[in-house]
Structure formats: C-alpha cells, structure tokens
C-alpha cells in the first residue's frame, strides 16, 4: 500500500506534493519521490528513507513547476532503495509515473519491453508503466494510458505526467484507491482523502476501470473503453485525523475492515485460476530443493506465533513433514535440533522483533534455510532471510495485529499448497478445491465483517467481565489463542485460551456460573468432542458464546449466544473465524474506554529485549 499525490494549477507543486505525502505516510514510508513538469521539462527527485530525506534532498536541489506527482512507498517488489523509489520514467525521460498496488504480469511485460530495447533501472513492477506508455505515446497522454490499461493485470492505481503536456495529470484505477480533489482553478489527485483535505472537501472517487485527465480547469473522467463518465461529487465531512483512519474511529477497526483487500493483494500473482495451481516464483526454489526439506521450524512471537500454530496444522496436513513452532524467545535458548534439512519459517509483521531476529540468526548458524513471512520488505528479517514471502497488507498501525495475522495465515496456506504440489503430497482435485477456497476468501471475509453489529452487541453485553475463556480443538484451538491475545491486549480483560480437551485437567476449576466461554466449533473432525466440551462448561453454568459453521444448527441448542460464520472450506476457516474475535476484542475495549490503538505497556514492534 503506497501513497500517491498529484497537483496541477497556478501554484508551485512541490510544497503541495510534500504536504500531501506527509498526510499519506501511514500508507508507506520506506522511500519517497516526486516528479515535476516545468515548462516542458520533467525532473524527478527521489530517495530511500522517510519523507524527511526527500525534504532534505529538495532543500539542496529545489524543483520548480506547477504540475507534479509524488509517491511514498511501501515496498512489495524490489527492496527499498533510491533506484526502486517512485516516480519511474521512460527511456526518453518524457513520461513519469507513480503507482500503488501490484502489476501481476510485470515480468512478462518487462521481458517484452526489454526485447524491444527498453532499458530498466529498477527492480520494481511499476517501471513497466512508463515504458509501456512510451511505446503508445503520440502526444496524448490520456490516450496512451488508456491503450496500456488493458494489458495490465493485478490491483493498481497510477498517476502519470508527460513533458510535452505541462498542466496535465492522467490517472487510472483498478482496485487500489484513487481520488480527484476539485479545487478552484486547480485540481489534485491522491490515494486517499487525508492528502486533499487542506485544499478541498469536494472529490471524485474513481471506480475500478475509470481514468481521469486532470488539468487546472477541468477533470474529464472516462471508462477504459472510452465512455465518458458523469461523476457525482463526494463531499468529505471527516477531519484529517478521521480521514487517516478512513473514517473509522481507530486504526485497528480500519485494519480489521482492510482484511478483504489485504487478502486480495496477498493473493495477487500467486494463484493461477485456470490451472488451480499455486505459483510462488519469488521463492526461486527448485522442485529438488523443496523435496529435500525434512523438517519445518516456525519461529515467531505473539500474534505471528499464533499464525505459526495454524501453520503447523496446515503444513503437517499438506506435506506430512514434522513442523515445530517455537516462541522466538524460547527457541533462541533451547539449542534446537535443526540443520541443513530444515526450512526455518520466520514470521514477523514488522520484521524487527528482536527475539525473532535472534531466532533467525540461530537457525542460520545451524544451517537451516530461512524463509521470512513479513509485512515490511526492507526490514531486518526480510534482508537476512534466504527466501521472502511477503504479506501484502500495507502498513499496520494499530498495536494489535489483525490484517497482518490473516495474511500471514494466507501465506502459510499458499506455502503449504505450493510445496504439496511440488512434493506430490496433494491430489489435483483437493488442491483445486482449496485454491478455489483461497480465491474466495476476500468475499467470505467481507461477509464475516457483516457480523459486526452482532459481535458488537455481544462485546457490549460482556465487556465488564474480568475473566473470559476461549476454547477450541485443532485449528480452532490455534485461533482461540489469537482471540484471547486480542482481547487481553486491548481491553485488559483477563482472557485465556485452552485446548478444549484440556479443561478437565485444571482450568475447569475456574469455570463457574456466569463465566463467559467463547467456544470455536468449526472443525468437523472434532465437532462431537467439542460439543461435549461445551456441555462440560455449560454444566458448570458458564455462559457460552459459540462460533459455528454456516450449516451448524446443533450447537445453538446448547449455548447462550451464536456467531454463525459464512460458508467456508473447514480447512480454511482460521482466516475467517478470527474476524469475529478481532471485532469482539475491539468493541469490548471500546466499551471499556481503552486506548485501543496504543494499549498500555505495549509497542507495535518489540525491538529491544
Ligand atoms: C499482536 O497483536 C501484538 N501486537 C504482538 O503480539 C505482536 O504480534 C508481536 O510483538 C510480534 O510482532 P511482529 O509480528 O512484528 O514480529
């Protein structure tokens, strides 16, 4: 998720672009840049690092011009560097482009362009855009972008300027957001509303497949097929703070709701719909290397560790390989039995957790191959790993991890299916069924978010409780652990998760009249056992809130409250069943007046021991 801004009008563009990028830093900040058209001459200034680094560069090398585009990057392809920063340009230095999202078919486009003599300077997917536009440019930037659009696959938003057309911006949208800000004698574009608010509250929100030609006096919106579009003006009522949260009260709630898009973007380029095969070219592993692994060691902390626990069930089921999951803070001191035949999967949203980094280094010392699942491409974990399978969730601002967790899970399922394909441990039909289920996940996640009001009412009903238990079996147990962590870290309610079969070995002593127990009962193979565990706690007069599958009409006869999930493949349920638990934690904390995005004693990334 990156930030895009643009300006065209009578004022100097640079200060407006920089201020806009500052408002979008929450969308990404590993590098930044801008391009300005000054009387027919395009100049680009860009640098790795936070926006401050760009400000310093521009103070030393000022830029003049009234038409410009800017970008703050959250790397998905190509590590953070000056070369990979946006904007990118064509060979003739006449066209400059900034982009947000992923161009799924960039490798084949790059190959084709290089064949016809184009010279690439970066490792990014974005750089195919200015060269493709250059191929089609005959003096009309809008027409050139329109002719390129149908060749692009993936989720993206782009903004372009051309030297020969000062006073003009061209933008296009496919999935990633893009907005046109309507000024008086000037106009603006941005990825998100916060960048526009100091100039205008009147905007066009572009839809997928729409483009716009923006000058100081006019905004022309059309569909890719050329049909003009009459846009209605959206009047923004939010203040800047609310706008950075997309109108949500907290980043956590915004990020819970971003999960369908995060899942979509994490899937892009990794699943071939036609063949139902998973493709992870970014790993660069041969079939022989994949077949050679004899063990998998997952190393992580907190929520990432809980993702690893789901990963154990998933990878052992798909690969029939032993999978160990360790808290990084334990792993680093137990002299683990791993070696060259081990794949160490290091999971970290921030990529900077000190214990996880130490675990990575220990695994390397012992000869293991290191695969990182992280949300920050330029992070220490990403840089020190041998293999990188990034989540594409965009910056996660709230301390409580939500969209990073579900996209970590998605990456573990993709890794398991990919290895199972290569090792021949999964049949064609089962694999196709699971891949179809993964492709359907964003829609299922959207449907689960529709349970928000039901869950909110439950959270408000039980928010004054001091102890809440979460129980489950198998995959449900792993998700129950994450649900308990979410609740305790932001509402400060004492919440614990237990394997349901473990209750009678001690914890049942704490289950007395009125104690809320959240019971996850989505796994068919252990459903009967789970139902008897629910009856066990009901017999002690606990209040049971059950999370059940779409077709389960049995459990409701026994419990007090029901959260019914949408239809989803049982094996894929964790990416869906966690969402009501995230919402429960959020609304319980809200009802208790807690500081949800910044809970006491906690940091977003634990970079010190
Ligand atoms: C999760 O909600 C917490 N913020 C915390 O447990 C977090 O998951 C843990 O510190 C690991 O962080 P990482 O994924 O950035 O390594």
């Amino acid at each position: 998720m990156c930030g895009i801004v643009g300006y065209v009008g009578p004022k100097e563009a640079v200060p407006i672009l920089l201020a806009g990028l500052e408002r979008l830093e929450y969308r990404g900040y590993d590098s930044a840049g801008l391009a300005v058209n000054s009387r027919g001459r395009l100049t680009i200034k860009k640098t790795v690092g936070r926006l401050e680094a760009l400000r310093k560069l521009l103070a030393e090398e000022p830029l003049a011009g009234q038409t410009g585009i800017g970008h703050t990057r959250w790397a998905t392809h190509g590590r953070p560097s000056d070369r990979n920063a946006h904007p990118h340009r064509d060979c003739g230095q006449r066209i400059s482009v900034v982009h947000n999202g992923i161009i799924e078919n960039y490798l084949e486009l790059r190959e084709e362009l290089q064949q016809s003599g184009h010279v690439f300077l970066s490792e990014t997917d974005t750089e195919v855009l200015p060269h493709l536009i250059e191929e089609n440019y005959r003096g009309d930037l809008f027409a050139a972008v329109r002719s390129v659009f149908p060749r692009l696959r993936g989720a993206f938003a782009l903004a372009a300027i051309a030297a020969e057309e000062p006073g003009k911006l061209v933008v296009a949208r496919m999935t990633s957001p893009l907005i046109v800000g309507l000024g008086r004698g000037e106009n603006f574009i941005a990825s998100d509303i916060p960048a526009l608010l100091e100039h205008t509250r009147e905007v066009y929100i572009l839809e997928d497949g729409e483009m716009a030609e923006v000058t100081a006096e006019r905004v022309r919106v059309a569909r890719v097929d050329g049909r003009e579009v009459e846009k209605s003006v959206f009047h923004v009522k939010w203040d800047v703070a609310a706008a950075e949260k997309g109108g949500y009260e907290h980043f956590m709630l915004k990020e819970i709701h971003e999960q369908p898009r995060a899942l979509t973007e994490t899937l892009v380029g990794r699943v071939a719909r036609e063949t139902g095969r998973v493709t992870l070219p970014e790993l660069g592993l041969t079939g022989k290397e994949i077949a050679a692994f004899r063990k998998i060691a997952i190393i992580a902390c907190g929520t990432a560790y809980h993702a690893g626990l789901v990963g154990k069930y998933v990878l052992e089921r798909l690969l029939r390989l032993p999978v160990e999951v360790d808290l990084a803070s334990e792993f680093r001191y137990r002299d683990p039995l791993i070696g060259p035949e081990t794949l160490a999967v290091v999971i970290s949203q921030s990529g900077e957790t000190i214990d996880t980094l130490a675990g990575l280094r220990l695994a390397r010392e012992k000869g293991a191959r290191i695969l990182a699942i992280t949300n920050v491409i330029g992070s220490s974990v990403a840089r020190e790993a041998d293999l990188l399978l990034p989540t594409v969730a965009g910056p996660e601002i709230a301390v409580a991890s939500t969209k990073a967790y579900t996209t970590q899970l998605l990456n573990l399922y993709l890794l398991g299916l990919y290895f199972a394909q290569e090792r021949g441990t999964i049949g064609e039909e089962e694999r196709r069924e699971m891949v179809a289920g993964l492709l359907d996940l964003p829609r299922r996640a959207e449907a689960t978010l529709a349970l928000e009001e039901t869950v909110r009412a439950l959270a408000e009903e039980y928010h004054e409780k001091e102890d809440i238990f979460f129980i489950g079996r198998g995959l449900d147990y792993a998700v129950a652990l994450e649900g308990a962590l979410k609740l305790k870290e932001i509402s400060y309610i004492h919440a614990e998760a237990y394997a349901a079969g473990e209750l009678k070995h001690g914890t049942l002593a704490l289950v007395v009249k009125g104690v809320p127990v959240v019971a996850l009962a989505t796994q068919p193979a252990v459903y009967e056992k789970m139902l008897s565990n629910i009856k066990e706690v009901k017999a002690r007069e606990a209040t049971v809130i059950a999370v059940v599958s779409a077709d389960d009409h049995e459990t409701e006869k026994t419990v007090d409250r029901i959260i019914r999930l949408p239809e989803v493949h049982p094996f894929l349920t964790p990416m869906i069943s966690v969402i009501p638990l995230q919402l429960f934690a959020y609304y319980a904390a809200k009802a208790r007046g807690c500081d949800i995005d910044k809970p006491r004693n906690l940091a977003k990334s634990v970079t010190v021991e």
Side-chain angles (χ1 to χ4, degrees):
M1 181 158 83
C2 305
I4 291 176
V5 293
Y7 173 76
V8 57
K11 298 170 189 151
E12 279 305 304
V14 169
I16 294 171
L17 297 175
L18 286 172
L21 290 178
E22 204 157 304
R23 290 283 177 221
L24 297 182
E25 269 211 300
Y26 70 88
R27 294 178 64 85
Y29 39 71
D30 59 50
S31 49
L34 47 85
V36 174
N37 187 330
S38 174
R39 288 195 292 281
R41 186 163 171 276
L42 274 195
T43 310
I44 292 176
K45 296 288 180 194
K46 59 184 185 177
T47 177
V48 69
R50 306 285 300 236
L51 198 51
E52 197 41 47
L54 181 61
R55 280 190 186 286
K56 280 206 186 84
L57 177 61
L58 288 162
E60 290 151 17
E61 304 165 26
L63 266 188
Q66 287 77 40
T67 306
I69 51 178
H71 185 272
T72 180
R73 186 171 184 241
W74 184 267
T76 57
H77 288 71
R79 59 191 167 68
S81 65
D82 291 353
R83 284 187 318 130
N84 289 337
H86 300 207
H88 292 283
R89 62 164 177 76
D90 64 325
C91 300
Q93 303 193 46
R94 301 184 306 162
I95 289 157
S96 186
V97 179
V98 292
H99 158 245
N100 173 31
I102 297 173
I103 298 170
E104 183 176 327
N105 57 332
Y106 82 99
L107 285 172
E108 63 194 72
L109 293 170
R110 183 182 176 118
E111 181 64 34
E112 179 193 308
L113 289 159
Q114 284 173 321
Q115 294 293 339
S116 49
H118 287 270
V119 176
F120 281 72
L121 306 174
S122 80
E123 306 156 325
T124 66
D125 55 333
T126 306
E127 197 184 351
V128 299
L129 293 170
H131 296 291
L132 278 174
I133 295 168
E134 178 182 31
E135 287 273 299
N136 293 275
Y137 187 65
R138 305 288 178 274
D140 179 345
L141 184 60
F142 186 80
V145 173
R146 216 183 94 199
S147 59
V148 162
F149 203 108
R151 303 215 49 204
L152 307 175
R153 282 210 318 275
F156 57 86
L158 68 91
I161 55 177
E164 282 95 359
E165 297 176 79
K168 184 187 289 184
L169 308 173
V170 171
V171 294
R173 176 197 172 158
M174 180 50 74
T175 307
S176 300
L178 203 63
I179 292 156
V180 179
L182 306 172
R184 306 264 179 277
E186 59 185 7
N187 285 308
F188 311 80
I189 61 105
S191 303
D192 207 352
I193 286 171
L196 303 171
L197 284 184
E198 69 179 280
H199 307 292
T200 179
R201 288 182 173 275
E202 299 197 333
V203 303
Y204 289 153
I205 298 178
L206 293 191
E207 303 295 336
D208 283 356
E210 286 186 345
M211 299 178 50
E213 181 180 76
V214 182
T215 64
E217 296 309 326
R218 183 173 174 244
V219 177
R220 174 165 73 102
V221 180
R223 300 230 16 108
V224 175
D225 60 16
R227 270 180 300 128
E228 296 283 323
V229 175
E230 265 314 299
K231 294 296 284 185
S232 50
V233 176
F234 175 77
H235 297 271
V236 180
K237 296 181 178 54
W238 302 328
D239 63 18
V240 172
E244 281 180 349
K245 301 182 186 97
Y248 292 99
E249 191 179 347
H250 297 99
F251 276 111
M252 183 182 178
L253 189 58
K254 175 174 179 261
E255 289 155 9
I256 289 171
H257 281 269
E258 282 181 340
Q259 290 182 112
R261 185 191 54 71
L263 289 168
T264 298
E265 297 207 348
T266 298
L267 275 167
V268 167
R270 293 172 169 172
V271 175
R273 285 176 187 276
E274 317 71 53
T275 60
R277 289 180 69 81
V278 174
T279 58
L280 299 179
E282 62 237 85
L283 292 185
L285 281 173
T286 64
K288 194 158 165 287
E289 288 173 302
I290 292 172
F293 293 124
R294 289 284 167 274
K295 178 178 187 179
I296 294 176
I298 298 176
I299 307 155
C301 299
T303 286
Y305 168 73
H306 294 153
L309 291 173
V310 172
K312 174 181 172 64
Y313 287 104
V314 169
L315 295 171
E316 286 191 343
R317 162 89 159 57
L318 291 174
L319 304 179
R320 309 312 300 151
L321 272 182
V323 178
E324 286 175 1
V325 190
D326 275 277
L327 288 167
S329 53
E330 290 296 307
F331 177 81
R332 52 189 297 206
Y333 301 109
R334 72 173 183 80
D335 191 15
L337 298 173
I338 63 173
E341 81 302 328
T342 306
L343 175 68
V345 177
V346 178
I347 309 174
S348 175
Q349 188 284 129
S350 63
E352 299 300 345
T353 300
I354 190 82
D355 280 322
T356 306
L357 200 50
L360 182 156
R361 290 167 180 163
L362 176 61
R364 173 189 299 296
E365 270 168 42
K366 288 182 170 285
R369 199 85 183 273
I370 315 291
L371 185 151
I373 293 178
T374 180
N375 199 35
V376 184
I377 299 275
S379 64
S380 305
V381 162
R383 284 198 312 274
E384 296 191 25
D386 303 309
L387 310 164
L388 184 56
L389 189 61
T391 51
V392 188
E396 188 176 69
I397 311 295
V399 166
S401 187
T402 51
K403 62 178 182 173
Y405 172 77
T406 41
T407 51
Q408 285 161 4
L409 294 188
L410 177 53
N411 272 7
L412 288 162
Y413 279 91
L414 288 168
L415 183 69
L417 285 167
Y418 180 60
F419 276 29
Q421 263 168 209
E422 300 305 312
R423 293 169 68 103
T425 52
I426 186 169
E428 164 94 8
E429 192 183 330
E430 186 184 16
R431 190 201 72 232
R432 280 181 175 276
E433 189 190 349
M434 284 192 192
V435 165
L438 290 182
L439 288 167
D440 205 24
L441 272 179
R443 205 160 56 86
R444 304 294 161 163
E446 206 64 72
T448 310
L449 288 166
L451 296 169
E452 183 165 12
E453 284 317 307
T454 305
V455 177
R456 175 180 191 150
L458 288 172
E460 288 169 355
E461 184 177 358
Y462 296 107
H463 78 277
E464 286 166 333
K465 295 291 183 182
E466 284 315 310
D467 300 288
I468 297 186
F469 294 103
F470 291 71
I471 61 172
R473 284 175 175 261
L475 287 169
D476 282 340
Y477 169 47
V479 175
L481 285 161
E482 175 55 14
L485 175 60
K486 287 281 93 50
L487 183 61
K488 66 182 136 185
E489 72 172 321
I490 62 169
S491 74
Y492 314 142
I493 293 172
H494 169 243
E496 291 308 329
Y498 285 89
E502 186 61 11
L503 281 170
K504 52 187 166 307
H505 298 287
T507 311
L508 204 54
L510 298 178
V511 177
V512 296
K513 183 173 172 52
V515 167
V517 174
V518 178
L520 285 83
T522 74
Q523 296 302 300
V526 287
Y527 175 74
E528 289 309 323
K529 288 285 183 192
M530 192 59 209
L531 197 53
S532 62
N533 292 138
I534 288 172
K535 288 174 181 164
E536 226 172 47
V537 293
K538 276 306 292 171
R540 275 78 182 176
E541 297 185 86
T543 302
V544 180
I545 303 165
V547 179
V548 300
S549 305
D551 57 358
D552 172 357
H553 298 288
E554 186 57 34
T555 308
E556 60 204 55
K557 299 172 189 164
T558 310
V559 300
D560 302 274
R561 300 285 187 278
I562 276 280
I563 297 173
R564 186 179 300 285
L565 299 177
E567 187 92 28
V568 65
H569 189 299
F571 189 57
L572 306 179
T573 303
M575 288 167 279
I576 299 300
S577 57
V578 73
I579 294 174
L581 307 187
Q582 296 166 343
L583 289 168
F584 186 87
Y586 175 80
Y587 283 110
K590 187 169 158 59
R592 291 167 71 102
C594 297
D595 184 354
I596 291 171
D597 283 336
K598 297 187 181 69
R600 68 186 181 207
N601 309 336
L602 301 179
K604 182 56 187 169
S605 179
V606 182
T607 56
V608 291
E609 301 229 29

